[in-house]
Amino acid sequence: MKLIKLIALLYLSIAVYSCHNKNIKKEDSVNYEIRNQTIDKSLSKETEENLQAIELAVKEILTTSPRYIKLTKGLQKKVVKNGGLYFGVFLQKSPQGGKQKESNYSKTYDFRIYEMYEDRQLNTSRFSFNPENKQLFEYDIANDSLMPIEFDRTLLVKYDSLNKH
């Protein structure tokens, strides 16, 4: 009889502890969501538009570079000829990425050129813009290194003016 009472008391204790622990987790979850909503609201529409403008300025730095132009010249025709749909350039990670998703955060602006086919997406080139030293790089897969490439440095004026706000 004592053993049954002891087992019942043990089960009751576990149940109470479990419920209490779930309530603490729920409270933490609610507090976390409230904090995140407050942080999200603190990013004003103006700030978001400025971040998008900065990303567009960096994309312009890339897409006007001689290396990008050389790689993409006639690429649309080649992709279609090979049964593809189109090619594009995508900002994969950026210093602003952490405000949207941690997995999108990087100290640099990381782009990739891709070819889109019905059944797959083929990444063909990778580029990176370092905002600290204001240098554009192409990723050399054979040597696993970043190679500095030329770009229109007058576009840095636009980038710098957007980045100060």
Side-chain angles (χ1 to χ4, degrees):
M1 191 66 162
K2 283 187 176 184
L3 185 60
I4 294 174
K5 286 183 181 180
L6 184 61
I7 292 173
L9 185 60
L10 181 63
Y11 279 125
L12 185 61
S13 298
I14 291 171
V16 168
Y17 177 75
S18 296
C19 290
H20 177 70
N21 202 15
K22 284 181 185 177
N23 285 339
I24 289 173
K25 287 180 182 177
K26 281 183 184 177
E27 288 172 10
D28 286 348
S29 175
V30 168
N31 287 338
Y32 177 77
E33 287 176 24
I34 290 170
R35 278 194 309 268
N36 276 351
Q37 288 172 357
T38 305
I39 290 169
D40 288 345
K41 287 178 184 176
S42 68
L43 280 178
S44 68
K45 187 174 181 177
E46 184 179 313
T47 303
E48 286 181 34
E49 288 173 358
N50 187 51
L51 294 178
Q52 289 174 349
I54 292 170
E55 290 175 353
L56 285 173
V58 175
K59 188 174 182 178
E60 184 179 5
I61 288 170
L62 169 63
T63 58
T64 59
S65 72
R67 178 66 178 149
Y68 176 88
I69 292 169
K70 181 179 177 184
L71 285 173
T72 58
K73 184 176 183 179
L75 184 57
Q76 181 62 34
K77 274 185 172 179
K78 291 176 189 175
V79 170
V80 171
K81 184 178 176 183
N82 290 331
L85 305 170
Y86 58 89
F87 82 93
V89 62
F90 177 71
L91 177 61
Q92 196 168 5
K93 295 183 177 192
S94 76
Q96 284 84 24
K99 293 178 175 55
Q100 298 154 1
K101 236 182 172 183
E102 281 188 36
S103 63
N104 293 343
Y105 175 79
S106 173
K107 289 184 178 183
T108 58
Y109 293 87
D110 300 326
F111 293 91
R112 61 184 159 91
I113 297 176
Y114 62 92
E115 298 174 8
M116 185 57 77
Y117 296 86
E118 279 191 33
D119 59 341
R120 71 187 187 287
Q121 178 178 312
L122 176 66
N123 295 327
T124 59
S125 303
R126 294 183 186 274
F127 295 89
S128 186
F129 178 77
N130 186 332
E132 288 182 22
N133 64 9
K134 296 184 176 83
Q135 180 59 55
L136 183 62
F137 298 93
E138 180 178 9
Y139 177 67
D140 179 4
I141 194 166
N143 295 314
D144 189 28
S145 62
L146 293 172
M147 305 298 295
I149 60 173
E150 293 300 316
F151 65 96
D152 183 358
R153 296 206 172 266
T154 61
L155 294 172
L156 291 175
V157 173
K158 180 179 180 180
Y159 170 78
D160 288 337
S161 68
L162 290 167
N163 211 20
K164 289 180 182 175
H165 295 287

